[in-house]
Amino acid sequence: MPGMSAILVTGGAGFIGSNFTRYVIDHTEHTVTVLDALTYAGNVASLDGLPADRFRFVKGSVGDAALVDSLVAENELVVHFAAESHNDNSLNDPSPFIQTNLIGTYELLQAVRKHDRRFHHISTEEVYGDLELDDPGKFSEATPYNPSSPYSASKAGSDLLVRAWVRSFGVRATISNCSNNYGPYQHVEKFIPRQITNVIDGIRPKLYGAGLNVRDWIHVDDHNAAVLRIIEAGTIGETYLIGADGEENNKTVIELILAAMGQPIDAYDHVNDRPGHDLRYAIDATRLRTELGWEPRYRNFAQGLDATIEWYRANQDWWRPMKQATEAKYAKTGQ
Ligand code: NAD
Ligand code: DAU
């Protein structure tokens, strides 16, 4: 998609969507309209400073069919980030996950179908379930779907809706399934920012269970560069896995954070495990690398973590308003 285009970014006040919006403004000539409901996870402050001639914010839900229809009509491309995104929340109350992730995606698909707009669906590798810790394999585009939590099941369902709208109605869509992102503007409910902000506040980090679960970390800018590449050069109807070979277990990540913040590496607590906790995620991104020529830029996880720690130290006004309510929610489940 060279030159200038009008992009509708759903969920653009969230972690990855706000970074994507900044990335697009910085690296392309496109204009961006963000549609975001500003749930507990959305924050307009994450979009501060963007140029008014290329950026517009609309508060509203992807479940609002009339609003979605009019915004889709005004734009050439829709990049769909909006979702309820946190596994722990989905275990406490699945209802908003069904509404936003399934019904919201359905409303967008109906609108892009009606107006014949290009659609890119942002999804997760959690749709594939998990791998054993000693399994040498990784997820690929051919891995069967086998989601574990209400969150991942709702994302799996949304992916299948996209595939059906491509096949049955000729919608011009692509899908990407990415592994765990880290970087600036991530909500403090998520693993890495929770531990960094705990240490800043003098609270011990919290490790679920034994902490041997493995996640495949990727910097949010590498994810967003891949999304842009898929939009520009991906094949309609195809799925691309996004990952940067960043496997680490949770215990190691907590130890890295503690060491980087000048604390003893055992200064953390084991807390209740997550029910149904996926063991290991690992992405084989060969297709993205070979067919679309994407390569990650952030190859040193420890350095990426250091920069993220610095960001949370320097941006306490951004995260402090969410911290207390987040920890109160975790206290109820002993986490
Ligand atoms: P997030 O929770 O930080 O942001 C979600 C955003 O969507 C928020 O701004 C929220 O206000 C908005 N939103 C929620 N419901 C809405 C609705 N009904 N209408 C409009 N806006 C609504 O999530 P994130 O981590 O930025 O994830 C973004 C997307 O990327 C999600 O689709 C998620 O499944 C996917 N993803 C996330 C990761 C990750 O590591 N965080 C990895 C792979 C894929
Ligand atoms: O893999 C992609 C997914 O990554 C995305 O689809 C999700 O939207 C995103 O939230 C993330 O899911 P996870 O469940 O893997 O991320 P979370 O940050 O919640 O947890 C990461 C790991 O850390 C997981 O094994 C649980 C563990 N954990 C989490 C928290 C919040 C802890 O040990 N302690 C904690 O305090």
Side-chain angles (χ1 to χ4, degrees):
M1 193 167 265
M4 206 196 85
S5 229
I7 308 181
L8 178 65
V9 174
T10 74
F15 165 46
I16 308 177
S18 63
N19 279 289
F20 179 77
T21 300
R22 260 174 221 292
Y23 195 91
V24 166
I25 299 286
D26 288 348
H27 292 86
T28 75
E29 295 171 11
H30 307 317
T31 62
V32 176
T33 299
V34 163
L35 170 64
D36 196 294
L38 296 182
T39 67
Y40 80 97
N43 190 345
V44 271
S46 304
L47 297 162
D48 276 354
L50 293 171
D53 58 336
R54 290 185 54 208
F55 165 73
R56 176 165 76 115
F57 179 79
V58 177
K59 182 175 186 293
S61 173
V62 290
D64 180 341
L67 177 63
V68 162
D69 184 85
S70 69
L71 289 174
V72 167
E74 289 167 16
N75 287 278
E76 285 147 81
L77 160 70
V78 180
V79 187
H80 178 34
F81 291 91
E84 288 290 336
S85 70
H86 195 41
N87 277 298
D88 293 324
N89 291 343
S90 82
L91 295 163
N92 295 331
D93 178 13
S95 161
F97 290 76
I98 304 303
Q99 288 305 323
T100 292
N101 301 2
L102 287 168
I103 310 292
T105 301
Y106 159 77
E107 297 296 357
L108 283 159
L109 285 168
Q110 286 292 74
V112 293
R113 174 187 172 197
K114 178 175 161 193
H115 298 288
D116 186 23
R117 296 298 189 252
R118 173 85 167 84
F119 187 71
H120 182 73
H121 182 60
I122 303 292
S123 192
T124 167
E125 102 278 53
E126 291 193 21
V127 299
Y128 300 113
D130 62 354
L131 300 158
E132 294 297 327
L133 293 180
D134 60 358
D135 184 342
K138 297 184 173 199
F139 297 135
S140 78
E141 287 81 2
T143 306
Y145 275 36
N146 187 27
S148 310
S149 72
Y151 161 68
S152 49
S154 68
K155 292 297 293 188
S158 69
D159 292 8
L160 297 182
L161 291 176
V162 177
R163 289 183 183 189
W165 262 243
V166 169
R167 174 155 176 166
S168 299
F169 303 126
V171 161
R172 292 178 292 128
T174 39
I175 300 175
S176 54
N177 298 75
C178 189
S179 58
N180 288 62
N181 286 219
Y182 73 97
Y185 299 105
Q186 186 169 30
H187 195 282
V188 293
E189 71 188 352
K190 300 297 197 299
F191 179 53
I192 288 178
R194 184 182 185 205
Q195 316 313 333
I196 294 172
T197 55
N198 275 356
V199 175
I200 292 172
D201 276 353
I203 304 169
R204 286 161 70 92
K206 311 292 181 204
L207 187 63
Y208 291 179
L212 299 181
N213 310 61
V214 171
R215 295 295 181 265
D216 191 352
W217 294 100
I218 179 172
H219 192 277
V220 65
D221 282 348
D222 280 336
H223 179 183
N224 285 328
V227 169
L228 212 48
R229 189 74 200 119
I230 295 164
I231 289 164
E232 285 164 358
T235 303
I236 297 300
E238 293 299 332
T239 289
Y240 297 86
L241 261 59
I242 307 175
D245 298 324
E247 282 185 69
E248 299 286 354
N249 76 30
N250 295 338
K251 183 169 170 291
T252 305
V253 175
I254 282 201
E255 289 171 352
L256 282 170
I257 291 170
L258 284 164
M261 298 182 77
Q263 303 291 316
I265 63 164
D266 60 353
Y268 62 85
D269 295 330
H270 289 276
V271 295
N272 288 340
D273 207 349
R274 174 183 287 170
H277 197 172
D278 279 342
L279 283 176
R280 171 174 163 252
Y281 304 142
I283 293 267
D284 176 352
T286 303
R287 174 176 216 185
L288 180 68
R289 288 173 189 251
T290 55
E291 289 182 21
L292 301 185
W294 170 89
E295 288 295 333
R297 284 182 44 241
Y298 294 81
R299 290 162 188 278
N300 184 321
F301 181 59
Q303 270 176 21
L305 259 189
D306 283 347
T308 306
I309 291 167
E310 276 324 301
W311 190 87
Y312 282 90
R313 278 198 172 118
N315 289 278
Q316 301 198 18
D317 289 352
W318 182 87
W319 59 264
R320 281 215 174 276
M322 319 162 203
K323 182 67 181 167
Q324 214 181 353
T326 302
E327 289 305 314
K329 205 150 62 173
Y330 278 126
K332 287 190 191 147
T333 52
Q335 290 175 315

